[in-house]
Amino acid sequence: MGYYALWLESLDDLPVDPAHLAAARSAGDALDVTRNPELVPFRLYVLGMLALRAKEPNAARAWESRLAALPAGRDSVTQDLTHMLRARLSLHAQDVAAAASELEKLELRVPYSRVGFFANLAPSRLRARVAADRGLFAEALRLESVADFYDPFAPAAMTGGHERRGVLLRKLGQTEAASASFGRAAVLLRDCEPSQVPRRDRLAALARDSN
């Protein structure tokens, strides 16, 4: 499993079963980054994210410590990845203020040569989640409308975005728009795998109930 596949497994937008998650963590442990030193901080960051997906915050903190100990380069990639992982850890601990503080520390100085590896360094989804947890629903909705996924037109990306926007629109009292957003998410799952059928049906019900 390569670095790109590992990153995909770390995203909470996409469903993952325990077996795949365990396999991803093993692959991350074994990932050879000697030929590409640029992947060293990325590997530690993704392993921390995978540990959080496995609900093992102590393991995630251990990866964060190793990431923070790396020497800083001329860009801010290593430091920014550290802040991102700390923000995720803070959200796991339900400390929204600390998560927001970590996001404010991002410098986002990424050279063009590294954009391919770190295109999602500051995902708007995480910023939107922090804003929503702080009760800033309009700001969260604005951030959810920003496409920064590996492929903004992939159904895997769009489904979660429509679902989260539906939730935010309901909180803002925009029930008709919320219904449309839930409906779009359900349509994207019309040919889904059996494991996603309950989610599709739940979204379809939300589309009806929001009218």
Side-chain angles (χ1 to χ4, degrees):
M1 186 180 293
Y3 80 90
Y4 191 68
L6 287 174
W7 174 65
L8 289 176
E9 295 286 10
S10 76
L11 298 177
D12 52 16
D13 291 74
L14 308 177
V16 63
D17 60 58
H20 277 90
L21 186 54
R25 296 179 73 184
S26 295
D29 276 327
L31 184 66
D32 182 8
V33 294
T34 56
R35 297 181 182 178
N36 191 346
E38 290 187 342
L39 289 180
V40 172
F42 174 87
R43 171 180 171 271
L44 298 176
Y45 170 76
V46 168
L47 282 166
M49 293 283 286
L50 290 169
L52 277 178
R53 289 210 79 179
K55 295 181 171 52
E56 296 182 17
N58 289 336
R61 290 189 192 94
W63 291 117
E64 180 273 322
S65 295
R66 291 180 60 179
L67 178 59
L70 292 177
R74 291 191 298 175
D75 53 51
S76 66
V77 168
T78 297
Q79 302 97 299
D80 288 343
L81 288 172
T82 302
H83 292 312
M84 289 288 292
L85 186 51
R86 287 174 179 167
R88 294 281 187 179
L89 280 162
S90 296
L91 283 178
H92 183 84
Q94 299 183 332
D95 190 342
V96 180
S101 177
E102 291 296 334
L103 291 177
E104 289 300 319
K105 296 174 185 176
L106 295 174
E107 296 182 37
L108 304 178
R109 291 185 288 106
V110 184
Y112 182 77
S113 61
R114 304 185 79 176
V115 168
F117 291 128
F118 304 103
N120 288 267
L121 196 57
S124 60
R125 300 180 306 282
L126 180 56
R127 293 181 180 276
R129 179 179 171 187
V130 170
D133 286 350
R134 299 175 76 185
L136 305 173
F137 302 126
E139 173 69 4
L141 183 62
R142 184 186 68 80
L143 289 165
E144 282 289 359
S145 300
V146 176
D148 63 358
F149 205 84
Y150 69 102
D151 179 357
F153 300 106
M158 296 176 67
T159 302
H162 286 311
E163 181 177 1
R164 290 189 298 274
R165 282 192 289 274
V167 171
L168 292 168
L169 287 163
R170 288 182 76 178
K171 290 180 181 295
L172 291 168
Q174 301 180 35
T175 55
E176 185 174 344
S179 176
S181 197
F182 287 132
R184 284 191 287 271
V187 167
L188 287 170
L189 290 173
R190 61 184 178 275
D191 298 320
C192 63
E193 296 180 1
S195 64
Q196 292 298 295
V197 169
R199 181 187 183 193
R200 180 196 63 196
D201 293 345
R202 176 177 58 80
L203 288 166
L206 284 170
R208 293 191 299 270
D209 294 343
S210 294
N211 280 318

